[in-house]
Amino acid sequence: MPIAARFGHVNLTGRDWRRLAAFYTDVLGCRLVPPERDIRGPALDAATGLHDAHLTGAHLRLPGHGEDGPTLEIFAYDDLEPGL
């Protein structure tokens, strides 16, 4: 028997989040959910296991599920120093 669950979001990480977002908005009809994300700090470092991690990106609303439907998170990391 399935549990009572609701799908909220899925995350994609790429080199150029804006280019990925453009693909999903142009091809699938997703819509940007402001604000754009700019995340850094101790909590992100702890979550990723990286030192001085920095993510930028956005959430896109998936089509067909209304204003409260699931989103696609698209992020890109800043370049990190090799070996970190």
Side-chain angles (χ1 to χ4, degrees):
M1 180 164 106
I3 62 171
R6 182 177 178 272
F7 177 76
H9 72 272
V10 66
N11 178 277
L12 294 176
T13 304
R15 293 179 193 265
D16 183 344
W17 76 262
R18 290 182 189 279
R19 188 171 174 191
L20 272 174
F23 171 81
Y24 283 99
T25 56
D26 294 348
V27 174
L28 296 181
C30 295
R31 289 186 337 277
L32 180 69
V33 179
E36 291 183 6
R37 278 41 176 202
D38 186 342
I39 306 167
R40 66 174 71 216
L44 181 61
D45 290 355
T48 61
L50 300 171
H51 179 69
D52 291 333
H54 181 215
L55 286 172
T56 53
H59 283 236
L60 302 177
R61 179 82 55 216
L62 294 170
H65 298 281
E67 291 302 311
D68 294 324
T71 60
L72 176 61
E73 285 182 321
I74 299 180
F75 286 112
Y77 282 96
D78 280 357
D79 288 334
L80 297 171
E81 290 182 33
L84 294 181

